[in-house]
Each structure stands twice: as C-alpha cells, then as structure tokens.
C-alpha cells in the first residue's frame, strides 16, 4: 500500500474562531484517534490532495512535531458551496488491529463480450475490505478475460489473501451489458455469434 507523507502541528486552541483562522491560512484542522492518545492537529490542506483527490487507496504517514503516526482517512468534511476542506479525521493504524477501507477495483484482461459489441460496466468501482494494515490490498483485481455478452463477475469470485471483502458476495462488480440492438436475441444466439467471431479472428471456420 502506498503512503502519503503529511507534516502537521498540534493545536493549542480548539475553538471555532481558531479553526476559522487556520482555514483562512490554508490549513485544515484534524483529529487523530484510535491509538494510545487523541491528537488534535492541523496541517496544510494542500497536503491532503494526493489522498482525497485520488481514486486509489493509501495510508497516511503523518509527522506531528517530530512524532510519526500511520493512519487512514476515516472521514473528511467539506464546505457545501466552496468545497473547501473543513476537517479531517484520521484513524491511527496499529499492527494487530484490523481496519476497514474502500479499495478500488481494477480489471485484468480483455472481455470477449466487449470485442463483440457489448459494453463493459464497472458497477462497483470500490469494495469495502477488512484487513490488518500489513495485508490491506492496494487494489482488487478482477479477471474479465472470460466475460461474454450479458455475463457478470460477482464479489464472491474475487480471490482474497489474508483479507475479507465485506460487500455481499452476490453483488455484481463488473458486467458486459448487451447493446439495445441485440437484446432480443437468446443467450444461445449471442454465444454462437461470439464463437463465430472468435473463430474468424483466429482464421478458423466456425463449427457446424
């Protein structure tokens, strides 16, 4: 799992006026919890861009006045109009304690159904994973190389290694949608057309 380094400072005052002053200076107030101590801190808001503006999962390594902590962003609060980052909650990581994270799905291979006119639809681009920090995957890989027209890959088909996917195993992750023009055809007709197209690509005559 990639780590983003952030430099922060302890907050001496916790009032609303102080929080507004920090934001006006380009900082964001935050709290780090889940470990031995609760730490109120602030950091330059721009440092959180690689964490919050990216679809990829990551850990945060935050240095607060010389003391380093490993954490994940548990919650972020934004202004509804200006979209300014208002507050960040960090959950400290500990070696023997499992955490939950939303992990992005990445597809592998080429779906035959797409080559024959279907549309690949990623219905769940992120899945919730429970794991010890050292086993937390950066991505969840889904093999679509056998995905024909109208077929799907469900959560239960994803391989796990020392981690648990909390999303229901019957939930569809990715599917090949059938084009409107082909929706009246039966599954057998679609499979026959895909077989013919595959044979044609390989220079073979379709089986009769």
């Amino acid at each position: 799992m990639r780590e983003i380094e952030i430099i922060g400072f302890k907050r001496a005052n916790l009032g609303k006026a102080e929080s507004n002053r920090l934001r006006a200076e380009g900082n964001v107030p935050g709290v780090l919890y889940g470990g031995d101590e609760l730490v109120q801190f602030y950091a330059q808001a721009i440092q959180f861009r690689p964490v919050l503006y990216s679809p990829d999962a990551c850990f945060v390594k935050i240095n607060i006045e010389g003391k380093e902590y490993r954490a994940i962003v548990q919650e972020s609060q934004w202004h509804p109009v200006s979209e300014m980052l208002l507050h960040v909650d960090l959950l400290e990581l500990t070696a023997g304690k499992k955490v939950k994270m939303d992990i992005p799905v990445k597809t592998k291979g080429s779906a035959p159904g797409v080559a024959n006119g279907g549309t690949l639809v990623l219905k769940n681009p992120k899945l919730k994973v429970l794991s010890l920090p050292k086993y937390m995957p950066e991505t969840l890989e889904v093999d679509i190389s056998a995905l024909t027209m109208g077929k799907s890959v469900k959560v239960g088909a994803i391989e796990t290694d020392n981690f648990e996917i909390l999303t229901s195993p019957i939930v569809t992750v990715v599917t090949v949608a059938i084009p409107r023009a082909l929706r009246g055809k039966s599954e057998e007709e679609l499979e026959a057309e895909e077989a013919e197209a595959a044979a044609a690509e390989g220079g073979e005559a379709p089986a009769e």
Side-chain angles (χ1 to χ4, degrees):
M1 178 76 72
R2 70 188 181 104
E3 286 191 341
I4 303 299
E5 295 188 10
I6 290 175
I7 304 297
F9 303 90
K10 289 184 178 180
R11 295 181 61 190
N13 301 312
L14 303 178
K16 184 176 181 180
E18 177 67 9
S19 295
N20 289 335
R21 185 188 68 80
L22 289 172
R23 295 185 186 110
E25 295 176 351
N27 297 303
V28 57
V31 59
L32 173 74
Y33 64 94
D36 295 331
E37 57 179 334
L38 183 72
V39 183
Q40 301 278 357
F41 72 93
Y42 69 91
Q44 287 188 327
I46 196 171
Q47 294 184 89
F48 285 94
R49 282 186 175 272
V51 183
L52 300 175
Y53 288 81
S54 170
D56 299 327
C58 69
F59 291 154
V60 172
K61 184 167 72 173
I62 184 167
N63 184 316
I64 302 177
E65 298 185 3
K67 188 171 182 179
E68 289 188 346
Y69 306 85
R70 293 178 74 238
I72 58 173
V73 174
Q74 191 73 1
E75 186 178 358
S76 57
Q77 298 173 16
W78 304 79
H79 191 281
V81 178
S82 67
E83 297 185 354
M84 174 191 292
L85 181 60
L86 300 177
H87 195 275
V88 176
D89 290 350
L90 298 183
L91 175 64
E92 186 177 351
L93 300 176
T94 53
K97 187 175 180 180
K98 293 183 178 181
V99 293
K100 298 176 185 178
M101 290 186 72
D102 290 327
I103 303 299
V105 172
K106 296 290 178 70
T107 58
K108 180 182 72 171
S110 300
V114 172
N116 291 292
T119 302
L120 190 70
V121 180
L122 188 58
K123 292 200 167 184
N124 283 279
K126 290 188 177 182
L127 300 175
K128 192 166 291 294
V129 171
L130 176 67
S131 173
L132 293 172
K134 65 178 179 179
Y135 295 129
M136 184 66 71
E138 192 164 342
T139 61
L140 295 171
E141 195 171 78
V142 176
D143 188 353
I144 61 171
S145 58
L147 211 55
T148 55
M149 198 93 70
K151 299 297 184 181
S152 305
V153 176
K154 298 188 182 298
V155 171
I158 300 176
E159 293 185 5
T160 58
D161 185 15
N162 293 315
F163 62 87
E164 178 185 357
I165 300 177
L166 298 179
T167 309
S168 171
I170 64 173
V171 168
T172 296
V173 180
V174 60
T175 187
V176 176
I178 302 173
R180 187 183 301 273
L182 300 178
R183 287 178 188 172
K185 296 187 178 183
S186 68
E187 185 174 317
E188 291 75 13
E189 288 176 316
L190 291 174
E191 290 180 351
E193 288 183 3
E194 290 188 348
E196 288 179 6
E201 288 178 4
E204 301 175 3
E208 295 186 5

